[in-house]
Amino acid sequence: MSDNTHDNADYSVINKAKMTLGHAPAGLYLPGIDETTCKEAVRLCARDYLEHHVFFNNRGFHNHLNHHLLSVFSLGAPAKRLQEVFDLNKEILLPSHSPMDVDITTENFTEYFSNERCYPNYVSFFQRELDAAGDNWKTVACDYFFDPRVFPLGMSGIFHPFIQFGYGLEFESKTIVATALAQTCVHSSTFKEMFSEHVFADICTGELDDDNHSLSLMQILDKMRQDPLSINMEFSTVPSSNSSITDAAERLATKYSKLWSVPTTKEGVSAKYHELLSVVALVYGSITRPGYKLLLHFAVMHCVTSAYFLPIYLDCLSIERQVQILKAHCAVVLATFAVHGSPELYITPEISSKDTHCAVSDIQNNVNNQWLDVFSEAIASNDMHVPKVVRALWRGSLLDSFPSKLSSDNDYRLPPPVNWLYLARITVDTIDFSSFRDSQEQTKEGKRFWTFGMVGHDKFWDTYPKE
């Protein structure tokens, strides 16, 4: 790693960074992706690796450059737009720094956890480990990620280490996976108790409710909303920074994630993934109270974008770990729901109508397919998260074969159908803020950004604008 900047004509950075991007199994279906854009994506990811730190400020905010770059790339962005995305992001990033004078090994690699100055040391360590694994590098990477000492860090920071790891697996890039594992190790832990080894083991084992039932996620959201711990939660304008709220949310998530069972079968895991993705998407689009201006929530949005990567993880894991990753993702989703007040869902007919524009063949061959317009707008957006959301919702559309029955229990309440295209459309139509301009200036201009507040609490709506 180096703190040098590189010329746009310098392709030597690819070998210097050992950067490769293999076939992305969940993407690369779209027109516009060709040899030129592939080469540019590899070059720019290599430059990010060589030139920038994992965080972009001293508050632990995450470098999103390769997330932004690879999402627009896989939606069909031209080479010129890839360069623009790089140039925009680099203006807000910290330069890479030299390694600390420590040698990280398999024996001591846990000793430097949460020390972001050791990030380059961890990158070097994981590169050596993955290189030594040869063709088995994904298995070794997953073994590290699922190490009980590492896993709580990987599920922290509203999924950012999890997402970085997902990009590395999706694009079959050892270099990106090494940076993801390094980012995980230097991260702070968000859910220390919930992902402690014995508590998480109980979550994965699961339990039945008082009526001897496993509950659906829709039923669990209802029960969380009615729980005294949720009802009595105080209001905060910044709930994620209020320890009493986050502690209560973690207790709620631990309690209720146990009630969502995941069968240890391929079919059961697939069905439960579809349920999780659908419910997360419904929460994303349905928390605006009637009569108020549409809002899209920043934390819930990360639940959507992270869910995109779950099938990519599942392809690399044993059935036992597949259950673990679904249960872990669900637990963080429930904690996110709880910390923001366990909001009511207002599922409109537009959201729950059938999405009829999902076929891959339509995207490839039908220039009138409405998804192509949404992709174009997502590529052009200067909000670094919008293309990631659109890509995740597109996955939902592609996989929209929601099973009619997940359980032999007739009381198991499935979510309604999801109009993935509608949710993608309201995303590109609503979020017109730039991640790279002064926020106060954009607010004065009337630009719309993600909402961060405690939307399940009445006090939030006292100051939120009506339609």
Side-chain angles (χ1 to χ4, degrees):
M1 300 177 72
S2 166
D3 61 358
N4 296 326
T5 58
H6 300 84
D7 187 272
N8 287 333
D10 183 1
Y11 287 87
S12 70
V13 294
I14 295 173
N15 290 331
K16 193 183 297 184
K18 298 182 180 180
M19 182 62 67
T20 58
L21 295 178
H23 176 70
L28 304 189
Y29 293 131
L30 298 179
I33 299 173
D34 56 25
E35 186 176 342
T36 298
T37 57
C38 287
K39 188 175 181 180
E40 290 304 293
V42 176
R43 179 180 68 83
L44 294 169
C45 282
R47 280 195 61 185
D48 179 43
Y49 166 81
L50 293 169
E51 297 174 18
H52 303 128
H53 190 41
V54 64
F55 300 121
F56 72 75
N57 62 20
N58 58 10
R59 296 167 61 194
F61 286 18
H62 305 84
N63 176 346
H64 283 66
L65 198 159
N66 71 13
H67 303 187
H68 193 180
L69 187 72
L70 292 174
S71 60
V72 298
F73 162 62
S74 60
L75 292 176
K80 180 182 177 184
R81 180 57 181 162
L82 298 182
Q83 184 67 57
E84 289 171 352
V85 165
F86 180 89
D87 292 341
L88 284 166
N89 278 269
K90 75 175 183 179
E91 294 301 321
I92 64 171
L93 297 177
L94 294 174
S96 59
H97 56 70
S98 300
M100 298 288 285
D101 188 21
V102 297
D103 182 25
I104 294 180
T105 67
T106 53
E107 288 74 29
N108 70 3
F109 86 99
T110 63
E111 294 178 14
Y112 304 97
F113 278 0
S114 305
N115 182 350
E116 61 92 14
R117 294 294 302 173
C118 287
Y119 171 71
N121 303 73
Y122 273 113
V123 172
S124 297
F125 167 69
F126 285 117
Q127 284 179 322
R128 295 194 302 269
E129 291 292 290
L130 300 186
D131 284 343
D135 292 341
N136 201 38
W137 66 269
K138 287 185 183 178
T139 300
V140 170
C142 289
D143 285 345
Y144 272 111
F145 192 84
F146 278 83
D147 184 307
R149 298 165 296 179
V150 176
F151 192 72
L153 303 173
M155 300 308 296
S156 296
I158 51 176
F159 291 111
H160 280 98
F162 174 93
I163 290 171
Q164 178 83 350
F165 194 83
Y167 274 108
L169 292 179
E170 179 182 17
F171 287 90
E172 299 180 344
S173 173
K174 278 197 291 185
T175 299
I176 293 177
V177 166
T179 66
L181 289 170
Q183 181 187 87
T184 300
C185 288
V186 302
H187 215 282
S188 58
S189 180
T190 306
F191 304 107
K192 291 181 180 178
E193 178 64 22
M194 188 163 71
F195 288 119
S196 63
E197 197 165 352
H198 69 285
V199 173
F200 186 57
D202 287 345
I203 289 173
C204 291
T205 301
E207 60 186 46
L208 302 177
D209 72 351
D210 294 339
D211 297 320
N212 208 35
H213 292 142
S214 170
L215 297 182
S216 74
L217 285 176
M218 296 297 283
Q219 291 165 316
I220 285 171
L221 296 185
D222 286 345
K223 283 189 172 291
M224 288 179 67
R225 207 177 285 116
Q226 297 158 8
D227 191 291
L229 198 57
S230 180
I231 292 171
N232 296 324
M233 197 176 284
E234 63 182 293
F235 176 73
S236 173
T237 55
V238 190
S240 59
S241 298
N242 184 309
S243 60
S244 66
I245 292 175
T246 56
D247 290 349
E250 188 171 359
R251 293 199 298 276
L252 285 163
T254 301
K255 174 181 178 180
Y256 287 102
S257 59
K258 293 177 184 178
L259 299 176
W260 189 62
S261 66
V262 179
T264 53
T265 64
K266 181 178 179 181
E267 296 76 15
V269 165
S270 176
K272 290 293 185 164
Y273 166 67
H274 279 76
E275 180 189 9
L276 177 59
L277 179 61
S278 295
V279 170
V280 166
L282 287 168
V283 174
Y284 172 72
S286 304
I287 53 179
T288 306
R289 291 190 179 181
Y292 288 84
K293 208 169 186 178
L294 175 70
L295 65 78
L296 298 172
H297 200 283
F298 185 78
V300 178
M301 170 267 288
H302 280 86
C303 297
V304 176
T305 59
S306 58
Y308 172 91
F309 294 100
L310 282 168
I312 297 163
Y313 276 81
L314 298 178
D315 284 345
C316 301
L317 301 176
S318 66
I319 191 68
E320 291 77 18
R321 283 183 173 175
Q322 290 178 22
V323 171
Q324 288 175 21
I325 203 68
L326 283 182
K327 293 283 283 189
H329 192 278
C330 174
V332 177
V333 167
L334 295 183
T336 303
F337 183 77
V339 84
H340 294 99
S342 300
E344 289 280 353
L345 302 187
Y346 304 92
I347 301 173
T348 65
E350 292 86 357
I351 292 172
S352 61
S353 60
K354 185 71 174 175
D355 179 358
T356 59
H357 299 275
C358 61
V360 174
S361 59
D362 284 348
I363 295 291
Q364 292 174 326
N365 302 319
N366 182 359
V367 295
N368 296 317
N369 190 289
Q370 295 177 46
W371 273 104
L372 291 176
D373 291 336
V374 174
F375 296 157
S376 179
E377 292 184 46
I379 290 168
S381 173
N382 281 341
D383 178 276
M384 63 179 67
H385 294 96
V386 163
K388 292 164 47 177
V389 178
V390 167
R391 207 165 75 113
L393 294 170
W394 177 44
R395 177 187 276 291
S397 184
L398 292 174
L399 299 179
D400 197 20
S401 54
F402 196 86
S404 59
K405 209 172 186 66
L406 287 168
S407 168
S408 58
D409 185 345
N410 291 328
D411 293 329
Y412 195 95
R413 181 157 63 90
L414 293 174
V418 178
N419 190 321
W420 306 96
L421 177 61
Y422 174 79
L423 292 177
R425 167 54 62 192
I426 63 173
T427 300
V428 297
D429 286 348
T430 301
I431 305 299
D432 58 1
F433 220 77
S434 169
S435 303
F436 313 104
R437 289 181 52 209
D438 180 77
S439 59
Q440 291 184 346
E441 180 181 314
Q442 291 184 83
T443 300
K444 290 177 183 177
E445 294 171 1
K447 301 288 186 182
R448 299 286 305 282
F449 193 51
W450 308 99
T451 295
F452 292 81
M454 199 169 178
V455 293
H457 203 290
D458 290 342
K459 287 185 178 179
F460 171 86
W461 298 96
D462 290 343
T463 57
Y464 190 77
K466 294 191 174 183
E467 287 183 314

